Amino acid sequence: MAEGVFTYSGGRVEPGETDDIRFPVSETYLGDPIRIPVTIINGSKPGPTVYLSAAVHGDELNGIEVVREVAQEWDHDGLEGTLVCLPVLNVPGFMAQQRYLPIYDRDLNRSFPGAEDSTSARRMAASIFSEFVEPCDLGIDFHTSTRGRTNMLHVRADTDDPQVARLAKAFASHVIISSDGPSGSLRREATDAGVPTITVEMGEAHRFQRDLIDRALDGVVSVLAEYGLRPTDAVRWPGWRTIVGDQDEKTWLRANAGGVVEMHHTQGALVHEGDRICTITNPFKAESDTVCAPFTGVIVGVLENPLVYPGNPLCHLVRLDADTLRAVEREQLNAE
């Protein structure tokens, strides 16, 4: 890449320029191109190159609005560096309003870094990865929970990697879940390729949730401030933070009975050991099964669909240490 110029196959964006493109990554059964929307904002001053991506799962919509607003509504005067905005990676899934590629139901987020001579999903992934991910210095990939569940806003990142840990903390979420991520996922493969990347989980599929979108936009501002792309902005401190790594520090609570679920807490709620999380009853409410918190923590993800079989997930709970617990309780007391 030439100094200060962002190049891609078929084009280039000079310093101080912005380009909206539709980049071909595959073809339909009729031979028509499948194009992903991309906005490249190249600041007039040099600096890091950051990609923002969303809808690698086609029904995960919150991140689309985050990336669109950064690309189309923010004032980028004074930007020091380059933003590569990818609001919809999985265009076929987005058009069908489903999670996976409708081409043999493949998961695009298990197909990176891709291969040019492999499956349709891996070919699409290879094009996206080589053109718009590998040229960057860091990235943020926005997700939601799958259908029937919802997540509080949190970050997933490999905090054993110091560069990724810096990025994860800069986003300023309350909760960071530390892992290297599944093989083939965008954040894992980009990080392995030398582009530190985090996943931001927020809300539920098939929705625009304005409060989460606004908080995610604040996180983007904080990251760009941390890396000097927006030098006049401040890096945020969320008030409290827990980094969850050990398997003993988090758990999915699962149903031991089939029935209808009444949740007693929402995502983001603080619960103490022994608190009732939910109650499962049969259609006559003649029998019930109560699920209680096995430890004190924060509910990161929670069931939205109230119908369960035995073994279905109910909520994702992460443990809080004593210092973090006191900080959370102070925050909630001040909010009352």
Side-chain angles (χ1 to χ4, degrees):
M1 187 181 300
E3 182 68 27
V5 178
F6 188 94
T7 61
Y8 57 92
S9 296
R12 55 192 283 133
V13 185
E14 301 287 343
E17 294 184 351
T18 295
D19 199 5
D20 292 324
I21 63 174
R22 293 182 182 270
F23 190 84
V25 295
S26 188
E27 295 181 355
T28 70
Y29 294 127
L30 297 175
D32 297 323
I34 295 172
R35 298 185 177 97
I36 64 168
V38 186
T39 298
I40 300 163
I41 304 146
N42 198 351
S44 57
K45 297 180 181 179
T49 300
V50 180
Y51 78 87
L52 307 174
S53 59
V56 70
H57 294 132
D59 59 357
E60 298 182 355
L61 306 185
N62 276 327
I64 294 175
E65 189 61 12
V66 174
V67 179
R68 289 200 316 161
E69 291 194 23
V70 171
Q72 307 301 333
E73 297 184 16
W74 281 13
D75 181 356
H76 294 291
D77 288 345
L79 181 70
E80 298 187 11
T82 304
L83 295 177
V84 179
C85 298
L86 304 153
V88 183
L89 292 184
N90 183 352
V91 166
F94 174 76
M95 295 295 292
Q97 273 302 278
Q98 66 182 50
R99 180 177 178 85
Y100 299 128
L101 287 163
I103 310 161
Y104 301 116
D105 211 30
R106 295 187 184 273
D107 188 349
L108 185 59
N109 203 37
R110 296 296 183 271
S111 304
F112 292 99
E116 294 180 354
D117 58 353
S118 186
T119 65
S120 53
R122 287 174 62 82
R123 291 181 188 217
M124 290 176 65
S127 180
I128 293 166
F129 200 82
S130 63
E131 295 285 350
F132 302 112
V133 174
E134 282 189 308
C136 296
D137 298 300
L138 59 139
I140 306 173
D141 186 31
F142 292 94
H143 287 253
T144 75
S145 187
T146 190
R147 184 178 60 182
R149 300 203 295 266
T150 187
N151 284 328
M152 70 177 289
L153 188 146
H154 69 280
V155 165
R156 298 186 182 185
D158 181 8
T159 58
D160 290 337
D161 183 322
Q163 295 184 68
V164 177
R166 177 188 176 192
L167 174 57
K169 292 175 181 177
F171 193 83
S173 65
H174 287 307
V175 175
I176 300 172
I177 296 179
S178 182
S179 71
D180 55 5
S183 177
S185 64
L186 178 53
R187 75 170 168 98
R188 176 169 176 169
E189 302 303 336
T191 297
D192 287 349
V195 185
T197 295
I198 62 173
T199 291
V200 174
E201 293 278 354
M202 47 187 292
E204 60 185 292
H206 296 291
R207 299 284 188 275
F208 274 176
Q209 294 167 287
R210 190 68 243 178
D211 59 330
L212 295 175
I213 291 167
D214 288 341
R215 288 166 58 195
L217 288 165
D218 289 341
V220 174
V221 171
S222 184
V223 167
L224 300 187
E226 168 72 18
Y227 289 89
L229 284 88
R230 292 170 65 103
T232 60
D233 289 317
V235 181
R236 295 179 65 243
W237 163 245
W240 62 270
R241 174 189 292 136
T242 186
I243 300 177
V244 182
D246 191 286
Q247 288 298 319
D248 292 337
E249 296 178 335
K250 61 182 183 292
T251 188
W252 272 100
L253 301 183
R254 294 183 177 273
N256 290 322
V260 180
V261 180
E262 180 186 359
M263 296 297 304
H264 304 305
H265 301 276
T266 60
Q267 48 90 0
L270 171 66
V271 294
H272 294 82
E273 182 177 352
D275 284 354
R276 285 193 313 158
I277 299 290
C278 66
T279 304
I280 304 170
T281 59
N282 67 17
F284 308 105
K285 291 195 172 184
E287 299 178 8
S288 66
D289 184 62
T290 300
V291 179
C292 297
F295 51 75
T296 297
V298 168
I299 296 176
V300 172
V302 68
L303 184 76
E304 288 285 294
N305 183 340
L307 309 179
V308 294
Y309 282 109
N312 284 170
L314 297 167
C315 77
H316 192 192
L317 182 67
V318 301
R319 189 188 300 271
L320 297 181
D321 60 35
D323 290 341
T324 306
L325 175 60
R326 285 193 290 270
V328 176
E329 289 174 334
R330 282 197 303 270
E331 179 183 79
Q332 293 190 349
L333 184 64
N334 291 335
E336 292 178 354

